[in-house]
């Protein structure tokens, strides 16, 4: 394993120092906790929006702190939840007097630590409510959707909820629209290679040459099935069919789409996949209203892609159009 790093167990700290220097016009590191990234300009009286999770998924989570996006994030070690004290500090940083919404992916460690941090915040007089993204349809059956993990679909939750908050919505209104967004979002990943945790130094699983793993997790969790590698047109169609069937999309609906690389996939290949994906939905008379193609939620250097689809309504469309400016996504 060859990497640009100093010590494997210090790579997150070193990353955060470099990140803060590179983007000091938009964000800063909390003076109380060096694993909390905070927006430079917080709007008084607005619901604060916080997220957080393990490192290795960049630009998620720190890349989504910015204008009309997240106010603060808690940053964990590679593929590890931030501790409760880090989430708590993020709540303190984001609070502007209207309460805080914590919007994060549905993983056991994050759930436990966020709930502990909410109790700590209550002692400070700060009201915090939360929503968990559970868009990964491969991580649990549809009958147990509450057990599914959150992956790239979190971006839609953040973008829509943050837009709502910046328009002056209450905490309950922000939580409501975040949950409604989650309810209408599905994702599925396909992996072509594994990834290596820097402090470990070797791949933590293997995908054999000439095969692909459908439904692979962002931390190397096993997928639904291993198949022979197929042409991109067939892969794009199969990914789209999984989501269409699980989300129960019907003729004439509109959707927003994310095709996110997993860290090691050339942008060229993501656009090849997207071409097949939009063609498939068009063949089912489902219109792609808005699309995002690039690295949005990654898994270190894994080769592969995640397809995320959001069923749209007029309110979602309006909020998706609100301009944002952060490292992970820019939209005028």
């Amino acid at each position: 394993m060859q990497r640009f790093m100093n010590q494997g167990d210090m790579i997150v700290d070193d990353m955060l120092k470099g990140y803060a220097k590179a983007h000091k016009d938009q964000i800063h590191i909390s003076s109380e906790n060096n694993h909390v990234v905070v927006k430079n300009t917080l709007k008084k009286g607005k619901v604060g929006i916080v997220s957080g999770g393990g490192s290795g998924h960049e630009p998620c989570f720190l890349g989504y702190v910015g204008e009309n996006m997240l106010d603060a994030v808690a940053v964990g070690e590679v593929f590890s939840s931030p501790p409760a004290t880090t989430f708590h500090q993020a709540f303190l940083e984001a609070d502007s007097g209207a309460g805080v919404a914590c919007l994060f992916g549905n993983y056991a460690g994050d759930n436990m630590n966020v709930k502990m941090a909410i109790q700590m915040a209550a002692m400070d007089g700060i009201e915090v409510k939360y929503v968990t993204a559970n868009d990964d349809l491969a991580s649990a059956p549809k009958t147990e959707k509450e057990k599914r993990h959150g992956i790239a679909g979190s971006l839609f939750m953040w973008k829509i909820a943050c837009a709502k908050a910046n328009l002056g919505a209450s905490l309950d209104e922000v939580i409501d629209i975040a949950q409604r967004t989650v309810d209408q979002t599905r994702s599925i990943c396909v992996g072509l290679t594994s990834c290596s945790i820097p402090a470990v130094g070797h791949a933590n699983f293997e995908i054999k040459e000439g095969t692909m793993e459908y439904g692979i997790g962002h931390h190397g969790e096993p997928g639904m099935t291993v198949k022979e590698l197929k042409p991109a047109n067939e892969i794009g169609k199969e990914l789209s069919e999984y989501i269409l069937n699980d989300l129960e999309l019907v003729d004439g609906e509109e959707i927003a789409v994310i095709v996110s690389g997993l860290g090691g996939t050339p942008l060229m290949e993501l656009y090849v996949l997207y071409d097949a994906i939009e063609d498939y939905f068009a063949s089912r008379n489902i219109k792609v209203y808005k699309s995002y193609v690039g690295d949005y939620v990654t898994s270190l250097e894994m080769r592969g892609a995640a397809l995320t689809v959001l069923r749209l309504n007029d309110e979602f469309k309006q909020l998706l159009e609100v301009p944002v400016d952060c490292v992970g996504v820019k939209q005028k």
Side-chain angles (χ1 to χ4, degrees), residues 134-145 148 182-188 224 239-249 309 311:
N134 56 358
D135 48 296
D136 181 12
L137 64 84
S139 55
K142 190 172 182 178
T143 54
E144 299 178 283
K145 186 176 181 292
R148 289 177 170 177
V182 167
D183 291 342
Q184 300 300 328
T185 304
R186 300 290 189 278
S187 298
I188 186 171
M224 299 184 298
L239 292 173
S240 302
E241 283 183 330
Y242 277 124
I243 288 184
L244 180 139
N245 292 331
D246 196 275
L247 195 51
E248 299 179 9
L249 292 167
V309 172
R311 172 189 274 119

Side-chain angles (χ1 to χ4, degrees), residues 261-273:
L262 300 185
T265 311
L267 190 58
M268 174 190 294
E269 296 175 26
L270 297 180
Y271 280 114
V272 173
L273 271 179

Side-chain angles (χ1 to χ4, degrees), residues 319-332:
L319 293 171
L320 280 176
E321 293 298 342
V322 172
V324 298
D325 185 6
C326 55
V327 173
V329 60
K330 295 182 185 293
Q331 179 180 311
K332 294 182 179 180

Side-chain angles (χ1 to χ4, degrees), residues 237-313:
K237 178 182 177 181
E238 288 188 2
L239 292 173
S240 302
E241 283 183 330
Y242 277 124
I243 288 184
L244 180 139
N245 292 331
D246 196 275
L247 195 51
E248 299 179 9
L249 292 167
V250 298
D251 184 289
E253 292 198 278
E254 288 185 295
I255 58 175
V257 170
I258 300 169
V259 177
S260 177
L262 300 185
T265 311
L267 190 58
M268 174 190 294
E269 296 175 26
L270 297 180
Y271 280 114
V272 173
L273 271 179
Y274 180 79
D275 179 54
I277 289 163
E278 182 163 321
D279 281 353
Y280 172 80
F281 283 117
S283 74
R284 302 297 296 265
N285 195 30
I286 294 169
K287 180 184 177 182
V288 177
Y289 171 82
K290 201 167 194 65
S291 60
Y292 303 83
V293 181
D295 282 345
Y296 292 102
V297 181
T298 64
S299 184
L300 292 171
E301 80 281 23
M302 187 187 297
R303 283 182 58 82
L307 171 61
T308 298
V309 172
L310 167 66
R311 172 189 274 119
L312 292 174
N313 57 36

Side-chain angles (χ1 to χ4, degrees), residues 2-318:
Q2 299 188 105
R3 291 190 184 277
F4 293 111
M5 65 180 186
N6 299 310
Q7 296 172 262
D9 58 357
M10 292 298 293
I11 195 167
V12 174
D13 290 74
D14 290 344
M15 171 190 70
L16 287 168
K17 287 188 290 185
Y19 188 84
K21 290 172 182 173
H23 304 294
K24 54 183 174 289
D25 59 323
Q26 289 183 296
I27 60 91
H28 62 277
I29 303 297
S30 168
S31 61
E32 301 297 323
N33 188 313
N34 68 350
H35 277 221
V36 175
V37 178
V38 187
K39 182 160 59 181
N40 285 345
T41 54
L42 295 176
K43 187 176 178 181
K44 293 296 182 184
K46 181 190 77 70
V47 172
I49 312 285
V50 167
S51 189
S55 296
H57 304 299
E58 290 73 33
C60 187
F61 296 85
L62 70 175
Y64 298 121
V65 176
E67 182 183 352
N68 286 333
M69 285 292 281
L70 300 173
D71 295 305
V73 295
V75 180
E77 296 298 326
V78 176
F79 295 172
S80 298
S81 173
T85 52
T86 303
F87 274 113
H88 176 229
Q89 186 60 42
F91 297 160
L92 293 175
E93 299 282 354
D95 178 51
S96 294
V100 174
C102 186
L103 312 177
F104 62 100
N106 188 31
Y107 292 89
D110 294 318
N111 269 294
M112 178 182 69
N113 291 330
V114 165
K115 290 172 183 177
M116 290 172 60
I118 288 174
Q119 294 176 347
M120 297 163 69
M123 297 175 66
D124 300 312
I126 300 172
E127 183 180 17
V128 181
K129 296 186 177 182
Y130 71 92
V131 173
T132 55
N134 56 358
D135 48 296
D136 181 12
L137 64 84
S139 55
K142 190 172 182 178
T143 54
E144 299 178 283
K145 186 176 181 292
E146 70 282 355
K147 296 181 180 179
R148 289 177 170 177
H149 296 156
I151 47 177
S154 297
L155 179 57
F156 284 139
M157 172 177 67
W158 298 327
K159 198 168 186 307
I160 287 173
C162 289
K164 188 77 170 179
N166 278 284
L167 291 172
S170 67
L171 178 58
D172 284 341
E173 289 171 330
V174 170
I175 291 295
D176 173 68
I177 201 162
Q179 185 62 61
R180 287 191 284 121
T181 304
V182 167
D183 291 342
Q184 300 300 328
T185 304
R186 300 290 189 278
S187 298
I188 186 171
C189 296
V190 59
L192 305 182
T193 67
S194 60
C195 59
S196 303
I197 296 174
V200 175
H202 59 78
N204 57 335
F205 64 101
E206 180 184 7
I207 299 176
K208 293 182 179 179
E209 187 74 17
T211 67
M212 56 185 177
E213 187 156 342
Y214 272 96
I216 196 167
H218 273 52
H219 307 136
E221 299 94 337
M224 299 184 298
T225 183
V226 176
K227 297 185 178 183
E228 180 182 351
L229 183 61
K230 299 177 180 179
N233 284 343
E234 293 183 39
I235 297 172
K237 178 182 177 181
E238 288 188 2
L239 292 173
S240 302
E241 283 183 330
Y242 277 124
I243 288 184
L244 180 139
N245 292 331
D246 196 275
L247 195 51
E248 299 179 9
L249 292 167
V250 298
D251 184 289
E253 292 198 278
E254 288 185 295
I255 58 175
V257 170
I258 300 169
V259 177
S260 177
L262 300 185
T265 311
L267 190 58
M268 174 190 294
E269 296 175 26
L270 297 180
Y271 280 114
V272 173
L273 271 179
Y274 180 79
D275 179 54
I277 289 163
E278 182 163 321
D279 281 353
Y280 172 80
F281 283 117
S283 74
R284 302 297 296 265
N285 195 30
I286 294 169
K287 180 184 177 182
V288 177
Y289 171 82
K290 201 167 194 65
S291 60
Y292 303 83
V293 181
D295 282 345
Y296 292 102
V297 181
T298 64
S299 184
L300 292 171
E301 80 281 23
M302 187 187 297
R303 283 182 58 82
L307 171 61
T308 298
V309 172
L310 167 66
R311 172 189 274 119
L312 292 174
N313 57 36
D314 289 342
E315 184 178 24
F316 288 173
K317 287 166 65 175
Q318 179 184 9

